[in-house]
Amino acid sequence: MKHRKISILTAICFCTLGAQAQTTELLDGWECQSSAIVGTDGAALSTGKESSASWYATHVPSTVMGTLVANGEYPRLLERDNYKQYNNSRFLVPWFFKKNFRLDGLKDHEHVRLLFEGLGYSANIYLNGKLVASRDTVRGPFSTFAVDVTGTAKEENTLVVETFKCNPGDFNIGFVDWNPRPLDESMGIVRPVSVQRCGDVVIESPRVCSRVNLNTMKEAWLDVEAQLRNLSDHDVSGQLVCTFEGQEYALPVTLRAGQVRTVRLDENEMAALHVMNPRLWWCYTMGKPEMYDLSLAFKADQTLSDTKEVRFGIREVGSFITNDGYRAFTLNGQRIQLLGAGWTDDIFLRDDAASYDRQLELVKQMNMNTVRLEGFWGTSQALYDLCDEKGILLLAGWSCFWEWDSYLGKPCDERYGGILTDEEAQLIAREYDDQLRYLRNHPSIIAWFVGSDKLPIPALEYHYEWARKVIDDRPYIISAKEMESDLSGTSGTKMAGPYDYVAPSYWYAEEAPGGAFGFNTETGIGAQLPVKESLQQMLGNKLWPLDSTWNYLCTSAAEAFNNLDILKETVANRYGEAKDIDDFLRKANMVNYDGTRAMFESFRYNSPKATALIQWMLNAARPSLYWQLYDHFLRPNASFYSVKKACEPVQLIYSHLNRDVRAVNSTLQPVTITATMKVYGVSGKALGNKKVTVTVPALGSVKAFDTVELTEDNGYLFLSCQADGKTIAENEYALATTNDVYDWPKSDWTRTPILKHADHTAIGGQQPAKCKVKVKEAQGRQILLTVSNPSDQVAYLLRIVLKDKKGKIIDGVDFSDNYITIEPRGEKTVSCVLPRDVKFAADVLSY
């Protein structure tokens, strides 16, 4: 049946807008306190008569630990090994969050609902002396709740949320082995709370789904869907009004008392939903992340009942299994190699929009296109909104926290993990559905992970397949590990390690379990040390010799990754024993820079056989020494700049195994470049100089140079590529004539042991060149620096720092390049952007 289109402006006059159709976030002005202090009578606490003198000031979202730390408790908690002296005894009892708020001009016919986007782990909710929702149903941090408080809400209100920590066996927010568990187990209000005032009908879970003509890219079709809920005890007739790109359409709807109904619109009802010449949403490395806005309103009896705004992108994502059995991805019909890293929120969930924005800018600076969330991270939708706007792809889903006995706190099945009973499956299915509806309009999400180290039980997987058809049609990935499901077939992924150090040549070897083929969902080289300034904040000024406290700041894993033994061994065997902290950091930077870069470069070198790579990890939940490209203080480390080089859109890549050079191109257009290769011995002697012009196809690669010859035991390779007379990328390597020798039969999930390291001791023992830096140009916060090497040797991996007038490092400086390498008697120009107007001095360091 075709519905008659109604002109809103001429046919309907909605005059009673008033206070209805308002949703207001309740974020500030909260208070928090333990039930051990204020008692357990939540109803009494919500009468508004309780004194707040003993309560902690807080905001929402916040955990209890986040609140306590913000109020000055637990000083220096995350420094050294201070954390291990505390226990969870304060959090074995419930904690209350309290908020007073007004509803000015509240009318008798208005409906009022409290909207909770995330609570940890369970809660009783009280309003004005009444229990309005209980922890029997309000549980699970990934559930969302709409609590109808019509009749209980007044103009002056006191809301009290009694939160309870998780118990062993509960499916909580999970940090796994990355750091010690939060003392409060993330107890609190972990996502925003809102109060909604509306008419009889509310609009829930609106969705815009796009299909693109992948042959022409010149048209797209949108399907609009929304759930309408009649909150009243009588029938309601009205119109669902959709507004998009200057056009409006009104769909007549009648709802029975209490009825919930899903309505849909497509181009057959509303012509504007057939979009000609659409502005497509692209990952930023392939194009512009264009966004659209659509609004929905339900109107009845001359009154606006509810409205919803939907921000979305027009794009089409896909996933398929290659002929080799590997999972690959497409965006708008174009095959895309995912290059990214694994995200974690702060240990006490203290991240906010500003923190997310800075971190995602760092992701873009590294030229990565993907972030994997092992879990549905984020204290709001800000993380997802920013990825939409910045054009960064997201992989979101469940964590392996639920799949191992030691983390979940109950026996887990070897194949299916910890979600085993019907009751457990129903809870997880409900949370999954809530998260899909909560996040499904974000174009940045390319796929959902419904398993990490295990598979879901069949009943749960059947639900996921139903949800893919009914709630969100994005691909779901059955496991991050190489596994086979009877329902959906192969995962097409691998999680075979390594998670600790392997040498650069490993990634190119056919014997390497985690090498450059397929989709490696999580892998890395282990310890990735922060800069010295961060180490001083974490450990104090006495950094040498390394003591046991360093080990505490590794990971909390029992089996491995809980000390720096492998890094120390690698430094000694590869570059020579360190004589002091600066020498150790200098050599550790060499380990991290070359090892991390080779991982990313090998996947680009081996594309399309290598389909996707996720470095484990991107960031750190606490001050840490392991698995990070920038540290807890948001300071990039050496690995950060190596990834930036490795993922340049057009780049020259040296294979540490084959010893040749390929030109790679991740853009949608072919590019012709002039490739230059220079080779120096460790002595500084020039050993070779070649130049060639090659055309690199879109999303492809070609060989640029055959075997790189080195006539000294150690040396350096300088690569650069020019297009249209401008240098567009550079890459420098430390070389050795010896090879790494691996003990392949002893490979396990942690790493492959190295029997003999390539000998870089001549480079490690070389006195660093003394370089000079000067300001070439300064325009406001935009700075150009020139670093010159006056010596006859190569200046290798020099770190540029900017300091204020007190000699303190200036945080938040964005460098075009760092940990730089300069030819003998050469110079390099680096641009940087200051975070604010400040007087500075530039310096170059060898560590």
Side-chain angles (χ1 to χ4, degrees), residues 2-24:
K2 296 292 183 182
H3 298 287
R4 182 171 57 90
K5 183 174 180 180
I6 302 173
S7 170
I8 306 303
L9 294 179
T10 58
I12 305 174
C13 175
F14 296 98
C15 353
T16 315
L17 300 182
Q20 287 186 310
Q22 294 181 0
T23 300
T24 305

Side-chain angles (χ1 to χ4, degrees), residues 643-782:
V643 174
K644 183 179 176 72
K645 287 267 186 174
C647 297
E648 286 279 1
V650 178
Q651 183 59 287
L652 295 172
I653 291 175
Y654 169 74
S655 166
H656 292 267
L657 185 67
N658 302 325
R659 296 182 179 267
D660 62 357
V661 175
R662 292 190 73 83
V664 297
N665 175 15
S666 62
T667 74
L668 293 177
Q669 300 298 326
V671 61
T672 298
I673 63 169
T674 299
T676 302
M677 177 180 75
K678 297 179 182 180
V679 182
Y680 291 90
V682 72
S683 63
K685 179 182 177 181
L687 303 179
N689 190 337
K690 294 182 181 180
K691 185 177 290 188
V692 65
T693 299
V694 294
T695 298
V696 194
L699 305 176
S701 68
V702 295
K703 182 178 285 190
F705 299 107
D706 289 321
T707 307
V708 176
E709 301 291 346
L710 185 65
T711 56
E712 296 185 19
D713 287 343
N714 283 183
Y716 302 93
L717 172 65
F718 288 79
L719 300 173
S720 67
C721 50
Q722 294 80 33
D724 300 323
K726 296 181 179 179
T727 298
I728 60 172
E730 296 177 315
N731 218 351
E732 302 86 23
Y733 299 82
L735 305 180
T737 54
T738 56
N739 296 321
D740 298 291
V741 180
Y742 298 92
D743 194 352
W744 295 114
K746 292 187 178 178
S747 297
D748 62 20
W749 69 278
T750 67
R751 67 191 289 256
T752 296
I754 301 175
L755 295 172
K756 184 178 180 181
H757 286 266
D759 186 357
H760 288 267
T761 53
I763 287 174
Q766 193 172 38
Q767 188 69 22
K770 294 186 180 300
C771 293
K772 301 177 181 179
V773 59
K774 64 180 182 180
V775 177
K776 182 177 181 181
E777 185 179 320
Q779 293 184 347
R781 295 188 293 114
Q782 309 278 333

Side-chain angles (χ1 to χ4, degrees), residues 24 26 118 161 172 202 218 240 254 351 470 491 515 550 554 579 698 761 774:
T24 305
L26 304 177
V161 181
N172 196 27
V202 291
K218 293 187 181 299
L240 177 67
T254 296
D351 286 304
V470 175
S491 65
W550 288 67
C554 294
K579 60 180 183 293
T761 53
K774 64 180 182 180

